[in-house]
Amino acid sequence: MLKIGDFSKLSRISIRMLRHYDALGLLEPKSIDASNGYRYYNEEQLQIASRIIALKDMGFGLSTISEILIKYEDTKALAEFLSIKKTEIEAQAEEAKHRLRRLETTISRLRKDDTAMNYNVVLKTLPERYVASVRKVIPSYDQESILWNTLMAETSEMNLKPDDPCYSLAIFHDEGYKEQDVDVEIQMALKDQHSNTEHVVFKTVSSIEIASAIYKGSYDQITEVNQVVANWVNDNQYEFDGAMFCIYHVSPAQTQNPDEWVTEVCYPVKKRSFASL
């Protein structure tokens, strides 16, 4: 039998961790002296200790290691545990690779333009949502209120219940920028379903991956924000994949002070294919 100190040296596990493993039932002493509380291990337990160390080095948590040790002699079960961890680590490695690339491109961009971090671009997925939608050709972009007024007027008796978040947004469907007669759609996410009206369409919108940047203040900044998003999309090997839209987190309808407006500029994107590189 080995005292806990000797077992610690041979197993290369600290006494503190051996006591922790004992408390978890992961590696319990073979015996404990009732008179002095000394813990004793036998030599065969060094193999269990070695397995614990190896599994920890592979990234397994202690609760999972406890499960694995029970089935350790079952080669098929052990291989399944290892395969699952391998897939998990590969996903983490891929995400780490993307993060590293974003850091590298941001550093490179900052060396060329010290204002590049004024707007931070985020890649995320806008979830599937049920929306009230109005789409029309309006005289110009600054007359978007025509659409919101239509939405409010035609649904005033419906007791609409905005979802949380509401995702009040405007989608700009034209292929390029236009001076007039612009094709714009507004959407507002809802909790409950309704029947269409003359101009308001209620529909479910699929989830979508976007590159977006949030800015606070007047819409005069939008060209600069667009440039930052475009640079990010190019630097990170994505490409545009749909109509640009804006989410209004704090809109002119909520405050007339432009300094308080909060807008998120969003571009649907997809990973650039090798064919387009």
Side-chain angles (χ1 to χ4, degrees), residues 2-272:
L2 300 168
K3 293 181 179 179
I4 190 171
D6 295 328
F7 190 82
S8 173
K9 291 176 184 176
L10 291 169
S11 65
R12 303 187 70 180
I13 299 174
S14 70
I15 292 175
R16 180 182 66 83
M17 287 307 299
L18 285 173
R19 287 175 175 155
H20 181 52
Y21 294 165
D22 180 15
L24 295 175
L26 187 62
L27 180 56
E28 299 173 337
K30 273 298 179 183
S31 65
I32 299 177
D33 192 314
S35 63
N36 53 30
Y38 287 173
R39 293 172 166 85
Y40 291 91
Y41 297 81
N42 64 25
E43 289 77 1
E44 287 77 14
Q45 288 181 288
L46 289 170
Q47 184 182 53
I48 298 175
S50 177
R51 290 173 178 176
I52 293 172
I53 293 172
L55 292 168
K56 280 188 67 178
D57 286 345
M58 293 178 194
F60 288 101
L62 294 182
S63 61
T64 306
I65 289 174
S66 180
E67 294 179 40
I68 296 174
L69 290 178
I70 295 172
K71 301 180 179 180
Y72 202 92
E73 304 300 332
D74 183 340
T75 304
K76 185 177 180 180
L78 179 59
E80 181 66 19
F81 277 112
L82 298 179
S83 296
I84 291 171
K85 175 56 67 173
K86 176 175 178 290
T87 300
E88 179 185 318
I89 291 176
E90 286 174 343
Q92 293 171 349
E94 187 67 20
E95 178 59 27
K97 185 173 73 173
H98 289 325
R99 288 177 179 172
L100 182 59
R101 179 170 180 81
R102 289 168 196 165
L103 285 167
E104 291 171 343
T105 55
T106 301
I107 291 169
S108 176
R109 183 67 59 184
L110 277 170
R111 286 172 178 161
K112 299 174 185 176
D113 177 8
D114 57 10
T115 67
M117 288 294 285
N118 287 355
Y119 308 101
N120 295 311
V121 179
V122 176
L123 181 70
K124 63 183 182 180
T125 299
L126 199 64
E128 179 181 276
R129 56 211 183 278
Y130 181 78
V131 304
S133 165
V134 178
R135 179 175 177 177
K136 288 184 179 182
V137 173
I138 56 177
S140 60
Y141 296 109
D142 61 3
Q143 296 189 50
E144 186 184 307
S145 60
I146 294 173
L147 304 178
W148 292 106
N149 290 338
T150 299
L151 174 62
M152 294 300 106
E154 295 191 12
T155 62
S156 60
E157 304 297 324
M158 291 185 175
N159 190 28
L160 299 183
K161 296 178 181 178
D163 204 351
D164 185 19
C166 181
Y167 293 118
S168 294
L169 57 85
I171 305 172
F172 306 99
H173 287 285
D174 292 304
E175 186 174 348
Y177 178 82
K178 295 178 67 177
E179 296 288 347
Q180 59 185 17
D181 298 330
V182 294
D183 184 359
V184 180
E185 176 185 1
I186 62 165
Q187 293 179 359
M188 181 173 67
L190 303 175
K191 292 181 178 179
D192 48 351
Q193 299 193 5
H194 297 273
S195 298
N196 296 344
T197 66
E198 182 180 359
H199 299 102
V200 181
V201 175
F202 295 93
K203 61 184 179 180
T204 298
V205 180
S206 301
S207 64
I208 187 171
E209 188 172 36
I210 59 172
S212 73
I214 295 177
Y215 71 94
K216 185 175 183 179
S218 74
Y219 300 146
D220 295 340
Q221 304 171 70
I222 195 163
T223 298
E224 186 178 350
V225 178
N226 284 340
Q227 181 179 355
V228 171
V229 175
N231 288 338
W232 185 96
V233 169
N234 181 66
D235 290 343
N236 290 278
Q237 297 183 358
Y238 281 83
E239 59 185 52
F240 296 112
D241 189 34
M244 170 262 191
F245 58 94
C246 289
I247 299 175
Y248 303 118
H249 296 286
V250 179
S251 70
Q254 296 169 282
T255 173
Q256 294 184 347
N257 182 358
D259 293 337
E260 297 177 354
W261 298 347
V262 179
T263 308
E264 184 172 2
V265 176
C266 308
Y267 282 89
V269 294
K270 63 180 179 181
K271 201 65 179 176
R272 191 181 303 161

